[in-house]
Amino acid sequence: MRKRRSKAQAENIPAPILTAVIESLDQEGRGVTHYEGKTIFVDGALPGEKVTFQSHRIKPSYEVANVVEVLKQSNQRVTPKCPHFGLCGGCKLQHLDFAAQVATKQRLLESDLWHIGKVKAENMLPPLYGPTWGYRHKARLSVKYVEKKQRVLVGFNEKSTRFVADMNSCEVLVPEVSVLIAPLQDLIVQLSIRDKLPQIELAVGEPDAESVQAVKSVIVLILRIMGPLTAQDEVLLKAFADDHGVQVWTQTKGPDTIKPFYPLNGSSLSYSLPEFDLKYPFKPNEFTQVNPQINQVMIRRAMQLLSPKAGEKIADFFCGIGNFTLPIARSGAQVLGLEGLANLVDRANESAQLNEVNHVKFGVADLFKMTPESLTSLGRFNKWLVDPPRDGAYELVKSLDANNQPESIVYVSCNPATLARDAGVLVNEKGYQLKAAGVINMFPHTSHVESIALFTLNH
């Protein structure tokens, strides 16, 4: 069977259509089955379903396939809300019931903790939910001018390709941005640089309380332009900004070339945490959580697990613009926030000053090069909060020793695999217990798993 397939692949003959029962979902939201000793990942299939499938990527130990037909349907299968589902690569799980999506992510977290880290949480926390649709306040959209059709595509890439999906709306973007996709396509096709504009980065902030349009969100579009704008281009862009109430920024090269184009005096982007009486200004290309509603719920849970108290010394590693640092400082604890990017530290200091938050210091540090000596030099902390990028915090947790161990660590993760790896170090090497863990559904309808865990030191 394998010889016949490899020969067919070499001759560019389509793989045969086969039948299987789906066993589970993988980290990318694909159905998993086994056929003749090989693992098959089947896009569009759900656990328990009997499907026919056809492989389009064949490797010695695994294959990637698409569903041809669902012969026996899961009772958790639902009709996708978005007409572009299946073509667009932005969402992988719209065909799965929302509650089942969250349960699947919780199982993936538990599985990774055990199989990668060899650890098990004493308590699995109830999942945190947020808005199901229209939640994305930040996104990066691809742009493609199709010369043969004299039209422009604006959207996410197609599933598993670099082609731009042909779409005119998006159900997970905030509605004010979703309705801009078609007008943006009409705008860009009129520009002289229509074939030199590969990307639009967008950011949405809360309404500006000082603006006469205080009910309208602040929307910034960063156009990545690879050529000079003509006078007519500028007229068209300004008219678009006025008509749709958005700000147009441009980027000609690296991130340092990002600047406002029109209007030059637009309202600043910001988000708030009303529970802690905090407001955070941010630039459109700076990292903030894409889902501000669930961010508020996530911070509440982090504060419950961390339980900061006045007089304690607490470190916030990978602090960004102070998303967790400032709420911790509101407790009266002495907080040090460390972050690798200087521009984010500048923004964190700005927010601390704006909100009149005391007991907080920020600094720039490469946390991926942490050593026991450099960690100890920071001083001893009662507690840590760690919120790393997808690579995790391996060097940081490996640097723990008797001279610098905090009593407890709250770890916020956007990658269950690296959380599990780091949890294995903390529990099996550094003397901590995994007291609790749970998922945060930051990205509904996608396979992305956000999670939070609490570690306490054994005595």
Side-chain angles (χ1 to χ4, degrees):
M1 181 67 182
R2 289 174 199 162
K3 288 180 181 176
R4 190 164 67 247
R5 284 202 191 182
S6 59
K7 181 183 177 184
Q9 191 177 20
E11 296 175 0
N12 207 22
I13 299 171
I17 295 175
L18 304 172
T19 304
V21 175
I22 303 301
E23 302 157 18
S24 60
L25 285 181
D26 76 345
Q27 298 274 14
E28 297 180 34
R30 302 174 298 191
V32 181
T33 189
H34 293 84
Y35 193 91
E36 293 191 348
K38 292 181 77 172
T39 302
I40 316 291
F41 301 100
V42 187
D43 263 321
L46 297 176
E49 292 188 330
K50 185 177 182 179
V51 303
T52 58
F53 66 89
Q54 186 173 37
S55 295
H56 57 83
R57 188 178 179 196
I58 299 172
K59 298 291 182 180
S61 61
Y62 72 94
E63 298 182 13
V64 181
N66 288 321
V67 164
V68 176
E69 185 181 1
V70 179
L71 303 175
K72 180 189 174 188
Q73 187 170 294
S74 166
N75 59 8
Q76 294 179 329
R77 180 177 283 274
V78 296
T79 301
K81 183 176 182 180
C82 179
H84 310 297
F85 178 75
L87 172 70
C88 174
C91 295
K92 294 283 185 70
L93 295 175
Q94 281 194 29
H95 60 312
L96 179 61
D97 173 74
F98 181 66
Q101 291 181 30
V102 180
T104 296
K105 294 179 181 185
Q106 189 95 334
R107 284 194 297 272
L108 281 169
L109 172 62
E110 292 183 71
S111 175
D112 278 357
L113 286 171
W114 180 246
H115 289 107
I116 297 172
K118 307 302 179 192
V119 296
K120 189 173 183 180
E122 292 182 18
N123 176 34
M124 290 306 295
L125 300 166
L128 293 180
Y129 295 82
T132 312
W133 304 101
Y135 62 83
R136 281 201 76 135
H137 282 60
K138 299 196 82 173
R140 187 172 290 150
L141 302 178
S142 297
V143 180
K144 179 66 176 176
Y145 171 57
V146 185
E147 188 173 5
K148 287 183 180 179
K149 297 184 179 179
Q150 291 291 297
R151 60 177 300 231
V152 166
L153 302 177
V154 176
F156 295 106
N157 284 356
E158 291 182 6
K159 189 167 58 177
S160 304
T161 78
R162 293 187 177 183
F163 296 114
V164 182
D166 188 353
M167 54 192 289
N168 53 24
S169 64
C170 175
E171 294 292 344
V172 297
L173 289 176
V174 293
E176 305 99 300
V177 170
S178 176
V179 298
L180 293 177
I181 293 177
L184 278 169
Q185 293 168 346
D186 294 338
L187 165 71
I188 295 168
V189 79
Q190 300 176 62
L191 300 178
S192 70
I193 58 164
R194 64 182 73 87
D195 58 343
K196 298 182 181 69
L197 201 165
Q199 177 184 291
I200 299 173
E201 193 169 351
L202 62 93
V204 181
E206 293 179 359
D208 184 355
E210 298 175 6
S211 168
V212 291
Q213 294 179 310
V215 296
K216 187 171 171 46
S217 298
V218 178
I219 300 173
V220 174
L221 307 175
I222 304 175
L223 308 186
R224 179 77 171 92
I225 56 175
M226 314 293 284
L229 296 169
T230 66
Q232 179 61 17
D233 291 340
E234 294 189 359
V235 169
L236 290 168
L237 288 171
K238 290 176 180 178
F240 182 90
D242 287 336
D243 290 345
H244 297 280
V246 302
Q247 297 177 35
V248 175
W249 291 41
T250 57
Q251 178 183 358
T252 54
K253 291 183 180 176
D256 57 333
T257 65
I258 295 173
K259 61 182 182 181
F261 168 73
Y262 180 84
L264 295 175
N265 59 346
S267 298
S268 298
L269 290 163
S270 69
Y271 70 92
S272 62
L273 299 175
E275 190 172 338
F276 301 94
D277 189 25
L278 293 169
K279 179 180 179 180
Y280 293 80
F282 64 94
K283 291 288 194 296
N285 59 313
E286 291 174 342
F287 176 80
T288 57
Q289 296 291 354
V290 304
N291 189 333
Q293 290 92 343
I294 197 73
N295 183 50
Q296 294 184 22
V297 182
M298 176 177 70
I299 290 172
R300 184 181 305 136
R301 172 159 289 178
M303 293 305 105
Q304 290 167 349
L305 295 175
L306 192 67
S307 187
K309 294 178 175 58
E312 289 182 329
K313 289 186 68 179
I314 299 177
D316 179 9
F317 293 107
F318 305 96
C319 68
I321 66 171
N323 191 44
F324 290 102
T325 330
L326 300 187
I328 297 171
R330 281 285 197 226
S331 69
Q334 297 284 340
V335 192
L336 173 66
L338 291 180
E339 164 61 45
L341 297 174
N343 65 307
L344 297 185
V345 170
D346 290 342
R347 200 71 55 236
N349 277 313
E350 180 187 335
S351 292
Q353 190 172 1
L354 173 71
N355 292 285
E356 299 180 343
V357 178
N358 302 314
H359 317 294
V360 63
K361 284 177 62 178
F362 292 99
V364 180
D366 186 347
L367 300 171
F368 296 110
K369 294 182 179 177
M370 187 64 76
T371 64
E373 294 75 22
S374 58
L375 182 57
T376 301
S377 72
L378 296 173
R380 184 181 283 278
F381 296 92
N382 302 99
K383 298 168 181 176
W384 284 9
L385 189 136
V386 185
D387 182 18
R390 292 189 61 79
D391 290 339
Y394 185 71
E395 296 303 328
L396 181 64
V397 299
K398 287 288 282 187
S399 298
L400 282 163
D401 60 27
N403 298 312
N404 54 40
Q405 289 173 318
E407 287 295 311
S408 62
I409 299 172
V410 172
Y411 190 131
V412 180
S413 167
C414 59
N415 183 349
T418 53
L419 167 61
R421 178 202 63 199
D422 295 347
V425 173
L426 288 167
V427 173
N428 300 320
E429 299 178 28
K430 301 299 181 179
Y432 285 83
Q433 291 176 287
L434 177 53
K435 299 296 287 186
V439 298
I440 303 161
N441 202 25
M442 182 73 73
F443 295 82
H445 312 296
T446 77
S447 56
H448 182 100
V449 181
E450 193 94 7
S451 54
I452 191 168
L454 170 65
F455 300 87
T456 59
L457 189 60
N458 285 322
H459 289 288

